[in-house]
Amino acid sequence: MAIRPILIIPDARLRAVADHIVEVDEEIKTLAKDMLDTMYDAPGIGLAAPQIGVMKRIVVMDLAAEGETPTPLVMINPEITKFGDEIQVTEEGCLSIPELYYEVERPSTVTVKYTDLDGQEVTKDADGKLAVCIQHELDHLDGVLYIDYLSRLKRDRVIKKFDKQAKLAAR
């Protein structure tokens, strides 16, 4: 398959809302494979289609540690149907905001409903790292970035840094 370029902030497509996928066809299956190849190459544990400039509601993730057998997960039109009451604080990073990591508060459990690559509807309960990853990746489908959960000061600092890099790269 193909490794696709990952968009970096301040690219406006990262703030757009992705479109619902009507049918799981060969184009979507190829997109999922490309996304997994891109994620593994980065390397990362999750990737949403808007991060490669494709405005469709699909995310991929794989939380297998290095040396473990890969366990890729593809979610089409995912939707969180339930958030747990407990909150966890974890350090998050993002392939679209490279080399920066911040602590973010999120519910420690979620229930997600999605369509798999076979067109089957799946409901999955997740906790810990998987719950965080699901929330992070699904946020991308709605134009939300993890830095949006930071204080205004920290978020503004990150945006200013990447705006400056983008301007320098454009010269």
PDB file of all heavy atoms in Angstrom, residues 85-106:
ATOM      1  N   ASP A  85     -17.520   7.498  34.241  1.00  0.00           N
ATOM      2  CA  ASP A  85     -17.514   8.609  35.192  1.00  0.00           C
ATOM      3  C   ASP A  85     -16.112   8.965  35.686  1.00  0.00           C
ATOM      4  O   ASP A  85     -15.844  10.107  36.039  1.00  0.00           O
ATOM      5  CB  ASP A  85     -18.399   8.273  36.396  1.00  0.00           C
ATOM      6  CG  ASP A  85     -19.866   8.159  36.006  1.00  0.00           C
ATOM      7  OD1 ASP A  85     -20.294   8.852  35.053  1.00  0.00           O
ATOM      8  OD2 ASP A  85     -20.583   7.371  36.653  1.00  0.00           O
ATOM      9  N   GLU A  86     -15.223   7.967  35.735  1.00  0.00           N
ATOM     10  CA  GLU A  86     -13.872   8.225  36.240  1.00  0.00           C
ATOM     11  C   GLU A  86     -13.025   8.922  35.179  1.00  0.00           C
ATOM     12  O   GLU A  86     -13.153   8.651  33.995  1.00  0.00           O
ATOM     13  CB  GLU A  86     -13.198   6.914  36.653  1.00  0.00           C
ATOM     14  CG  GLU A  86     -13.752   6.342  37.932  1.00  0.00           C
ATOM     15  CD  GLU A  86     -12.959   5.137  38.405  1.00  0.00           C
ATOM     16  OE1 GLU A  86     -11.728   5.121  38.238  1.00  0.00           O
ATOM     17  OE2 GLU A  86     -13.597   4.216  38.936  1.00  0.00           O
ATOM     18  N   ILE A  87     -12.153   9.795  35.662  1.00  0.00           N
ATOM     19  CA  ILE A  87     -11.260  10.553  34.781  1.00  0.00           C
ATOM     20  C   ILE A  87      -9.839  10.065  34.992  1.00  0.00           C
ATOM     21  O   ILE A  87      -9.424   9.765  36.115  1.00  0.00           O
ATOM     22  CB  ILE A  87     -11.340  12.071  35.101  1.00  0.00           C
ATOM     23  CG1 ILE A  87     -12.776  12.597  34.903  1.00  0.00           C
ATOM     24  CG2 ILE A  87     -10.340  12.861  34.276  1.00  0.00           C
ATOM     25  CD1 ILE A  87     -13.297  12.537  33.491  1.00  0.00           C
ATOM     26  N   GLN A  88      -9.091   9.970  33.902  1.00  0.00           N
ATOM     27  CA  GLN A  88      -7.665   9.647  34.015  1.00  0.00           C
ATOM     28  C   GLN A  88      -6.861  10.751  33.335  1.00  0.00           C
ATOM     29  O   GLN A  88      -7.345  11.404  32.408  1.00  0.00           O
ATOM     30  CB  GLN A  88      -7.354   8.284  33.399  1.00  0.00           C
ATOM     31  CG  GLN A  88      -7.550   8.195  31.899  1.00  0.00           C
ATOM     32  CD  GLN A  88      -7.228   6.808  31.370  1.00  0.00           C
ATOM     33  OE1 GLN A  88      -6.587   6.009  32.025  1.00  0.00           O
ATOM     34  NE2 GLN A  88      -7.690   6.522  30.175  1.00  0.00           N
ATOM     35  N   VAL A  89      -5.664  10.944  33.831  1.00  0.00           N
ATOM     36  CA  VAL A  89      -4.755  11.916  33.241  1.00  0.00           C
ATOM     37  C   VAL A  89      -3.626  11.130  32.590  1.00  0.00           C
ATOM     38  O   VAL A  89      -2.962  10.333  33.259  1.00  0.00           O
ATOM     39  CB  VAL A  89      -4.181  12.880  34.308  1.00  0.00           C
ATOM     40  CG1 VAL A  89      -3.185  13.839  33.684  1.00  0.00           C
ATOM     41  CG2 VAL A  89      -5.308  13.636  34.999  1.00  0.00           C
ATOM     42  N   THR A  90      -3.455  11.323  31.285  1.00  0.00           N
ATOM     43  CA  THR A  90      -2.382  10.632  30.570  1.00  0.00           C
ATOM     44  C   THR A  90      -1.663  11.611  29.663  1.00  0.00           C
ATOM     45  O   THR A  90      -2.230  12.624  29.236  1.00  0.00           O
ATOM     46  CB  THR A  90      -2.923   9.466  29.703  1.00  0.00           C
ATOM     47  OG1 THR A  90      -3.925   9.964  28.832  1.00  0.00           O
ATOM     48  CG2 THR A  90      -3.491   8.360  30.546  1.00  0.00           C
ATOM     49  N   GLU A  91      -0.421  11.277  29.378  1.00  0.00           N
ATOM     50  CA  GLU A  91       0.360  12.092  28.467  1.00  0.00           C
ATOM     51  C   GLU A  91      -0.020  11.725  27.042  1.00  0.00           C
ATOM     52  O   GLU A  91      -0.011  10.554  26.673  1.00  0.00           O
ATOM     53  CB  GLU A  91       1.852  11.856  28.699  1.00  0.00           C
ATOM     54  CG  GLU A  91       2.726  12.824  27.926  1.00  0.00           C
ATOM     55  CD  GLU A  91       4.193  12.627  28.238  1.00  0.00           C
ATOM     56  OE1 GLU A  91       4.748  11.602  27.794  1.00  0.00           O
ATOM     57  OE2 GLU A  91       4.770  13.499  28.902  1.00  0.00           O
ATOM     58  N   GLU A  92      -0.390  12.733  26.253  1.00  0.00           N
ATOM     59  CA  GLU A  92      -0.767  12.501  24.867  1.00  0.00           C
ATOM     60  C   GLU A  92       0.172  13.250  23.931  1.00  0.00           C
ATOM     61  O   GLU A  92       0.708  14.296  24.263  1.00  0.00           O
ATOM     62  CB  GLU A  92      -2.203  12.970  24.598  1.00  0.00           C
ATOM     63  CG  GLU A  92      -3.247  12.118  25.268  1.00  0.00           C
ATOM     64  CD  GLU A  92      -4.665  12.496  24.874  1.00  0.00           C
ATOM     65  OE1 GLU A  92      -4.900  12.877  23.698  1.00  0.00           O
ATOM     66  OE2 GLU A  92      -5.545  12.389  25.746  1.00  0.00           O
ATOM     67  N   GLY A  93       0.314  12.675  22.763  1.00  0.00           N
ATOM     68  CA  GLY A  93       1.035  13.304  21.670  1.00  0.00           C
ATOM     69  C   GLY A  93       0.192  13.118  20.428  1.00  0.00           C
ATOM     70  O   GLY A  93      -0.847  12.458  20.465  1.00  0.00           O
ATOM     71  N   CYS A  94       0.638  13.682  19.316  1.00  0.00           N
ATOM     72  CA  CYS A  94      -0.145  13.592  18.088  1.00  0.00           C
ATOM     73  C   CYS A  94       0.783  13.690  16.894  1.00  0.00           C
ATOM     74  O   CYS A  94       1.698  14.517  16.873  1.00  0.00           O
ATOM     75  CB  CYS A  94      -1.164  14.732  18.055  1.00  0.00           C
ATOM     76  SG  CYS A  94      -2.231  14.719  16.608  1.00  0.00           S
ATOM     77  N   LEU A  95       0.550  12.834  15.897  1.00  0.00           N
ATOM     78  CA  LEU A  95       1.385  12.854  14.697  1.00  0.00           C
ATOM     79  C   LEU A  95       1.253  14.170  13.938  1.00  0.00           C
ATOM     80  O   LEU A  95       2.157  14.547  13.195  1.00  0.00           O
ATOM     81  CB  LEU A  95       1.026  11.674  13.776  1.00  0.00           C
ATOM     82  CG  LEU A  95       1.284  10.287  14.367  1.00  0.00           C
ATOM     83  CD1 LEU A  95       0.774   9.200  13.436  1.00  0.00           C
ATOM     84  CD2 LEU A  95       2.769  10.091  14.653  1.00  0.00           C
ATOM     85  N   SER A  96       0.157  14.894  14.140  1.00  0.00           N
ATOM     86  CA  SER A  96      -0.042  16.191  13.486  1.00  0.00           C
ATOM     87  C   SER A  96       0.507  17.354  14.311  1.00  0.00           C
ATOM     88  O   SER A  96       0.464  18.507  13.868  1.00  0.00           O
ATOM     89  CB  SER A  96      -1.529  16.415  13.197  1.00  0.00           C
ATOM     90  OG  SER A  96      -1.981  15.497  12.226  1.00  0.00           O
ATOM     91  N   ILE A  97       1.021  17.040  15.504  1.00  0.00           N
ATOM     92  CA  ILE A  97       1.676  18.030  16.371  1.00  0.00           C
ATOM     93  C   ILE A  97       2.944  17.347  16.876  1.00  0.00           C
ATOM     94  O   ILE A  97       3.051  16.976  18.045  1.00  0.00           O
ATOM     95  CB  ILE A  97       0.757  18.456  17.540  1.00  0.00           C
ATOM     96  CG1 ILE A  97      -0.629  18.858  17.025  1.00  0.00           C
ATOM     97  CG2 ILE A  97       1.399  19.601  18.327  1.00  0.00           C
ATOM     98  CD1 ILE A  97      -1.654  19.083  18.126  1.00  0.00           C
ATOM     99  N   PRO A  98       3.901  17.137  15.977  1.00  0.00           N
ATOM    100  CA  PRO A  98       5.044  16.274  16.311  1.00  0.00           C
ATOM    101  C   PRO A  98       5.915  16.771  17.462  1.00  0.00           C
ATOM    102  O   PRO A  98       6.086  17.973  17.650  1.00  0.00           O
ATOM    103  CB  PRO A  98       5.849  16.220  15.010  1.00  0.00           C
ATOM    104  CG  PRO A  98       5.328  17.305  14.149  1.00  0.00           C
ATOM    105  CD  PRO A  98       3.972  17.674  14.629  1.00  0.00           C
ATOM    106  N   GLU A  99       6.412  15.790  18.214  1.00  0.00           N
ATOM    107  CA  GLU A  99       7.427  15.983  19.251  1.00  0.00           C
ATOM    108  C   GLU A  99       6.966  16.769  20.473  1.00  0.00           C
ATOM    109  O   GLU A  99       7.785  17.224  21.261  1.00  0.00           O
ATOM    110  CB  GLU A  99       8.694  16.596  18.657  1.00  0.00           C
ATOM    111  CG  GLU A  99       9.301  15.717  17.571  1.00  0.00           C
ATOM    112  CD  GLU A  99      10.485  16.351  16.867  1.00  0.00           C
ATOM    113  OE1 GLU A  99      11.027  17.347  17.386  1.00  0.00           O
ATOM    114  OE2 GLU A  99      10.846  15.848  15.796  1.00  0.00           O
ATOM    115  N   LEU A 100       5.661  16.952  20.630  1.00  0.00           N
ATOM    116  CA  LEU A 100       5.139  17.630  21.818  1.00  0.00           C
ATOM    117  C   LEU A 100       4.186  16.695  22.544  1.00  0.00           C
ATOM    118  O   LEU A 100       3.353  16.051  21.910  1.00  0.00           O
ATOM    119  CB  LEU A 100       4.395  18.913  21.441  1.00  0.00           C
ATOM    120  CG  LEU A 100       5.237  20.083  20.955  1.00  0.00           C
ATOM    121  CD1 LEU A 100       4.335  21.283  20.677  1.00  0.00           C
ATOM    122  CD2 LEU A 100       6.303  20.466  21.969  1.00  0.00           C
ATOM    123  N   TYR A 101       4.307  16.644  23.855  1.00  0.00           N
ATOM    124  CA  TYR A 101       3.468  15.775  24.673  1.00  0.00           C
ATOM    125  C   TYR A 101       2.967  16.564  25.872  1.00  0.00           C
ATOM    126  O   TYR A 101       3.740  17.283  26.507  1.00  0.00           O
ATOM    127  CB  TYR A 101       4.268  14.552  25.144  1.00  0.00           C
ATOM    128  CG  TYR A 101       4.816  13.755  23.983  1.00  0.00           C
ATOM    129  CD1 TYR A 101       6.062  14.049  23.444  1.00  0.00           C
ATOM    130  CD2 TYR A 101       4.073  12.725  23.416  1.00  0.00           C
ATOM    131  CE1 TYR A 101       6.561  13.339  22.364  1.00  0.00           C
ATOM    132  CE2 TYR A 101       4.558  12.005  22.339  1.00  0.00           C
ATOM    133  CZ  TYR A 101       5.799  12.317  21.812  1.00  0.00           C
ATOM    134  OH  TYR A 101       6.278  11.611  20.737  1.00  0.00           O
ATOM    135  N   TYR A 102       1.680  16.420  26.156  1.00  0.00           N
ATOM    136  CA  TYR A 102       1.086  17.117  27.292  1.00  0.00           C
ATOM    137  C   TYR A 102       0.124  16.178  28.011  1.00  0.00           C
ATOM    138  O   TYR A 102      -0.450  15.277  27.397  1.00  0.00           O
ATOM    139  CB  TYR A 102       0.302  18.358  26.834  1.00  0.00           C
ATOM    140  CG  TYR A 102       1.180  19.479  26.352  1.00  0.00           C
ATOM    141  CD1 TYR A 102       1.394  19.680  25.006  1.00  0.00           C
ATOM    142  CD2 TYR A 102       1.790  20.340  27.255  1.00  0.00           C
ATOM    143  CE1 TYR A 102       2.205  20.720  24.551  1.00  0.00           C
ATOM    144  CE2 TYR A 102       2.598  21.381  26.824  1.00  0.00           C
ATOM    145  CZ  TYR A 102       2.798  21.568  25.466  1.00  0.00           C
ATOM    146  OH  TYR A 102       3.589  22.586  25.027  1.00  0.00           O
ATOM    147  N   GLU A 103      -0.072  16.435  29.297  1.00  0.00           N
ATOM    148  CA  GLU A 103      -1.036  15.655  30.066  1.00  0.00           C
ATOM    149  C   GLU A 103      -2.441  16.175  29.778  1.00  0.00           C
ATOM    150  O   GLU A 103      -2.674  17.385  29.756  1.00  0.00           O
ATOM    151  CB  GLU A 103      -0.721  15.746  31.561  1.00  0.00           C
ATOM    152  CG  GLU A 103       0.531  14.973  31.908  1.00  0.00           C
ATOM    153  CD  GLU A 103       0.717  14.804  33.409  1.00  0.00           C
ATOM    154  OE1 GLU A 103       0.134  15.583  34.197  1.00  0.00           O
ATOM    155  OE2 GLU A 103       1.454  13.881  33.783  1.00  0.00           O
ATOM    156  N   VAL A 104      -3.353  15.219  29.537  1.00  0.00           N
ATOM    157  CA  VAL A 104      -4.740  15.543  29.200  1.00  0.00           C
ATOM    158  C   VAL A 104      -5.662  14.698  30.079  1.00  0.00           C
ATOM    159  O   VAL A 104      -5.385  13.531  30.334  1.00  0.00           O
ATOM    160  CB  VAL A 104      -5.019  15.238  27.701  1.00  0.00           C
ATOM    161  CG1 VAL A 104      -6.474  15.501  27.349  1.00  0.00           C
ATOM    162  CG2 VAL A 104      -4.097  16.059  26.804  1.00  0.00           C
ATOM    163  N   GLU A 105      -6.762  15.307  30.538  1.00  0.00           N
ATOM    164  CA  GLU A 105      -7.780  14.594  31.313  1.00  0.00           C
ATOM    165  C   GLU A 105      -8.865  14.091  30.369  1.00  0.00           C
ATOM    166  O   GLU A 105      -9.374  14.859  29.549  1.00  0.00           O
ATOM    167  CB  GLU A 105      -8.445  15.540  32.322  1.00  0.00           C
ATOM    168  CG  GLU A 105      -7.599  15.921  33.481  1.00  0.00           C
ATOM    169  CD  GLU A 105      -8.368  16.753  34.501  1.00  0.00           C
ATOM    170  OE1 GLU A 105      -9.607  16.927  34.358  1.00  0.00           O
ATOM    171  OE2 GLU A 105      -7.728  17.241  35.435  1.00  0.00           O
ATOM    172  N   ARG A 106      -9.178  12.791  30.494  1.00  0.00           N
ATOM    173  CA  ARG A 106     -10.255  12.203  29.695  1.00  0.00           C
ATOM    174  C   ARG A 106     -10.936  11.115  30.526  1.00  0.00           C
ATOM    175  O   ARG A 106     -10.322  10.549  31.425  1.00  0.00           O
ATOM    176  CB  ARG A 106      -9.712  11.551  28.429  1.00  0.00           C
ATOM    177  CG  ARG A 106      -9.118  12.523  27.405  1.00  0.00           C
ATOM    178  CD  ARG A 106      -8.856  11.775  26.117  1.00  0.00           C
ATOM    179  NE  ARG A 106      -8.105  12.529  25.149  1.00  0.00           N
ATOM    180  CZ  ARG A 106      -8.639  13.246  24.161  1.00  0.00           C
ATOM    181  NH1 ARG A 106      -9.946  13.320  24.038  1.00  0.00           N
ATOM    182  NH2 ARG A 106      -7.877  13.881  23.297  1.00  0.00           N
TER     183      ARG A 106
END
